[in-house]
Amino acid sequence: HLTAPFCFGNGCDVGSGGDPVVPWAIQVDLPDEAFKQYGHAHDVTVPIQYRGNARTLPFKDATMDFVYSSHLIEDFDDWPVVLEEFCRVLKPGGNLVLMVPDHKLFREAVANGQGDNLGHKHEFSVGELTEWAVKRGGLSVVEDDLTKINSPKDYNILFVARKNLPKKITVAITAYDRIDLLERCLMN
């Protein structure tokens, strides 16, 4: 699978629909009644562990090696708030992995007969999530491009960003300090 190389370690699939990106992903999806109303393209294949809201994930800060979400954040007007929540639970070095529709190509697909998704509040363009990540800071973008899985007209954008590791603090020690330190160590 296209996204599986970025989904290793402990992680979650937000909006999985009961079909997680990798078998070990913790699934987070809507409460039962809302899940039934939303409708999904497939049956639930694996029990969903947490029912709730993408704006308030049930995990402690910096506990996930990856957060994956496919075709979910476009359903939020406040998608940056949702992404902040995803970043909150990511460990430093963890991957934020998103699949979103490209606005232009999705609209072309709809014009050519594909069913529309009236739940979309915001469709993206390549580079838009990179702009968000740069503005936010603390993330290094790994990928932000069309997947072109099925054809050049495929409307999926794959976005992957890695949460930066904390900056290391280095202290310069002069030659005099090293000699002093060495002498103190040897005397004890």
Side-chain angles (χ1 to χ4, degrees):
H1 192 267
L2 182 66
T3 57
F6 304 108
C7 299
F8 50 85
N10 296 318
C12 63
D13 184 338
V14 183
S16 68
D19 185 22
V21 63
V22 291
W24 58 89
I26 299 167
Q27 297 183 79
V28 179
D29 217 309
L30 293 168
D32 284 328
E33 283 307 310
F35 184 83
K36 289 174 190 170
Q37 290 175 358
Y38 185 80
H40 287 275
H42 51 78
D43 292 330
V44 173
T45 59
V46 178
I48 296 169
Q49 288 87 3
Y50 291 102
R51 299 292 188 158
N53 188 313
R55 292 181 189 95
T56 55
L57 296 177
F59 310 114
K60 293 180 180 178
D61 295 354
T63 54
M64 296 286 132
D65 293 306
F66 70 89
V67 175
Y68 172 85
S69 190
S70 179
H71 293 275
L72 173 75
I73 66 168
E74 64 270 15
D75 295 347
F76 291 88
D77 284 323
D78 61 346
W79 60 267
V81 172
V82 175
L83 293 184
E84 280 302 323
E85 178 65 359
F86 291 4
C87 289
R88 178 189 68 79
V89 303
L90 265 182
K91 291 178 183 177
N95 291 321
L96 174 62
V97 185
L98 305 171
M99 295 283 285
V100 296
D102 177 83
H103 174 72
K104 180 178 178 260
L105 294 175
F106 184 73
R107 292 291 121 209
E108 284 177 15
V110 170
N112 289 325
Q114 176 176 307
D116 202 351
N117 186 328
L118 301 179
H120 287 184
K121 307 283 192 255
H122 181 86
E123 294 162 357
F124 294 82
S125 60
V126 172
E128 186 175 355
L129 288 166
T130 293
E131 289 175 18
W132 166 82
V134 168
K135 182 178 175 185
R136 179 197 183 274
L139 296 169
S140 297
V141 176
V142 176
E143 188 160 343
D144 186 355
D145 204 357
L146 294 168
T147 60
K148 300 176 187 161
I149 296 171
N150 299 320
S151 75
K153 295 286 185 185
D154 183 29
Y155 58 77
N156 295 295
I157 297 171
L158 171 61
F159 175 81
V160 180
R162 189 160 293 124
K163 190 172 186 180
N164 294 341
L165 297 171
K167 299 227 187 263
K168 293 182 181 180
I169 299 173
T170 55
V171 178
I173 300 176
T174 65
Y176 175 77
D177 292 333
R178 277 188 234 132
I179 293 169
D180 184 50
L181 181 61
L182 180 60
E183 286 174 354
R184 281 188 279 140
C185 289
L186 293 174
M187 288 186 220
N188 292 333

